[in-house]
Amino acid sequence: MYGERYGWALRFRRGGRLVVAMYPSQGRLTVQIVLGRAQVAAASAMQLPASVSRVLEAAKDYPEGRWLFIPVRSRKSAADLLVLISLKMSRPENACTAARVEERGSLVGQREVAEEMR
């Protein structure tokens, strides 16, 4: 994704840790999010869009977590990522986010939780 052959990346950090990296390509954007084990468990319990769920399930486990590379081709797919970004920004031990999303039980509920966390 990144290097001489691929161009550049835009990285967003908070408190010294990487939240998200974006890799622009022609006609799309690839977003990289690294989720820790607790965050992967919380994300697996959520009702994520099928495309994001497939990426989450296919990602290999590393000591630092799972590296998700999610292609973004539309505003809707970008909005779907807000849930994962808000999960990434929460503390790993904070499981209440997943519980609140499960309570709401829908993608709309997930977006509401993401808005609350801002």
Side-chain angles (χ1 to χ4, degrees), residues 8-38:
W8 55 276
L10 184 60
R11 295 184 176 144
F12 292 93
R13 296 180 182 274
R14 184 172 195 184
R17 68 180 186 163
L18 181 66
V19 176
V20 67
M22 295 188 287
Y23 304 94
S25 303
Q26 187 172 358
R28 71 177 186 170
L29 180 73
T30 300
V31 175
Q32 176 192 9
I33 301 174
V34 180
L35 297 179
R37 289 184 185 161

Side-chain angles (χ1 to χ4, degrees), residues 4-115:
E4 280 184 31
R5 293 178 48 188
Y6 299 103
W8 55 276
L10 184 60
R11 295 184 176 144
F12 292 93
R13 296 180 182 274
R14 184 172 195 184
R17 68 180 186 163
L18 181 66
V19 176
V20 67
M22 295 188 287
Y23 304 94
S25 303
Q26 187 172 358
R28 71 177 186 170
L29 180 73
T30 300
V31 175
Q32 176 192 9
I33 301 174
V34 180
L35 297 179
R37 289 184 185 161
Q39 295 164 335
V40 168
S44 296
M46 295 177 180
Q47 295 177 353
L48 297 170
S51 60
V52 176
S53 292
R54 280 192 301 270
V55 170
L56 181 65
E57 291 170 10
K60 184 178 176 186
D61 280 319
Y62 292 100
E64 64 273 12
R66 290 189 192 180
W67 293 31
L68 309 179
F69 291 92
I70 303 169
V72 178
R73 293 185 177 94
S74 67
R75 286 182 188 256
K76 183 189 178 317
S77 60
D80 293 340
L81 287 175
L82 286 178
V83 176
L84 289 179
I85 292 170
S86 65
L87 182 63
K88 174 68 180 176
M89 292 181 69
S90 68
R91 297 196 183 278
E93 65 275 2
N94 185 1
C96 72
T97 302
R100 286 183 7 223
V101 168
E102 245 181 300
E103 261 176 33
R104 307 251 169 92
S106 69
L107 186 57
V108 172
Q110 294 171 16
R111 289 189 181 128
E112 289 170 2
V113 170
E115 289 294 322

